Amino acid sequence: MGVSTAFSQTCLAVPPQDVLQLSASGAVQVQQDLLVLTLSATREAPEAAAVQAQLKQVLEAALAEARAAAQPLQMDVRTGAFGMSPRYGKDGKINGWQGRAELVLQGRDFARITGTAGKIQGMSISQVAFDLSSEARAKVESEAQGKAIEAFKARATELARGFGFAGYALREVAMHSNETAPGPRPRMLAMEAKSASMAADAPLPVEAGKAQVVVTISGSVQLR
């Protein structure tokens, strides 16, 4: 009997009354401080082993050049994608191989990165992108979070009074953040070779854009 009564009471439980769902956001715009520059090399040959050997040689030379100028946080060096694929003739049979290797230079010292890229022989710049360092992102996320919380509280107070209540009590809350690039997009370049009018070792002119970090607070409040 006791179990039946408890089950009945659970089924007939009255859902919460005067609960309001809402969300608010806070945004902070910040200069992108991280340059990610990708160099690549492509080779072709009748045999896969020859392609691999050629790419290995050019990549090893590029790594040696880049490592000599590397500095923690200012310019970090890593290899990127490395792959090969067969090349087919009109008869559908493999008549050769082609491959591609990448080297990535990343960091805060734009002049060091572009200058080093200009000195590397056998690889060309294939992509230039900008981002936020983890330190910069954490700093602006904290600021955006504070703005989102204040906006959430102000919105909850405004709505509570608009519905004739004196205030509210927080029931549950969730937060998420994302990064966008408002206005003109950051420069993304795709180049198979350095400009013929530019000296081989001339630094590539780059200019970072701005990113906008947005934190959104969503949840529910109990009007009272």
Side-chain angles (χ1 to χ4, degrees):
M1 181 66 178
V3 174
S4 298
T5 301
F7 180 79
S8 177
Q9 289 174 343
T10 300
C11 292
L12 298 177
V14 179
Q17 299 296 310
D18 304 326
V19 173
L20 183 65
Q21 302 282 342
L22 70 153
S23 65
S25 298
V28 177
Q29 196 173 75
V30 62
Q31 186 75 29
Q32 292 170 314
D33 65 340
L34 199 66
L35 171 62
V36 184
L37 189 150
T38 304
L39 298 102
S40 64
T42 57
R43 295 291 187 272
E44 294 185 2
E47 301 296 331
V51 176
Q52 183 172 330
Q54 292 175 29
L55 289 176
K56 181 175 180 289
Q57 182 178 18
V58 71
L59 188 57
E60 286 177 344
L63 276 169
E65 181 75 46
R67 284 169 177 161
Q71 185 175 344
L73 300 180
Q74 302 308 307
M75 190 185 86
D76 294 313
V77 180
R78 60 182 172 86
T79 55
F82 188 106
M84 296 192 300
S85 59
R87 190 179 56 197
Y88 296 92
K90 293 181 179 180
D91 57 0
K93 296 181 179 180
I94 296 177
N95 64 4
W97 289 81
Q98 58 187 4
R100 176 186 171 94
E102 292 182 346
L103 179 67
V104 181
L105 310 180
Q106 175 178 309
R108 300 173 180 171
D109 191 336
F110 291 11
R112 179 186 295 268
I113 292 171
T114 57
T116 300
K119 296 176 182 178
I120 293 176
Q121 302 297 314
M123 302 191 83
S124 60
I125 297 171
S126 58
Q127 187 178 83
V128 178
F130 300 94
D131 201 354
L132 283 180
S133 64
S134 56
E135 295 83 3
R137 183 178 289 106
K139 181 179 178 180
V140 294
E141 274 188 356
S142 179
E143 186 179 348
Q145 177 180 299
K147 289 186 175 184
I149 291 173
E150 291 305 314
F152 184 93
K153 290 161 63 178
R155 183 62 173 160
T157 298
E158 177 187 359
L159 290 172
R161 291 175 179 173
F163 284 112
F165 292 84
Y168 68 91
L170 189 64
R171 285 175 54 88
E172 58 183 21
V173 67
M175 182 194 79
H176 72 269
S177 64
N178 68 291
E179 179 186 330
T180 61
R185 298 287 296 177
R187 287 177 19 144
M188 296 292 290
L189 309 179
M191 298 173 288
E192 290 302 321
K194 295 182 177 75
S195 171
S197 63
M198 183 184 298
D201 60 350
L204 176 74
V206 295
E207 182 179 355
K210 290 188 176 182
Q212 182 168 264
V213 176
V214 181
V215 173
T216 300
I217 302 289
S218 59
S220 61
V221 297
Q222 177 72 56
L223 303 179
R224 61 184 185 184

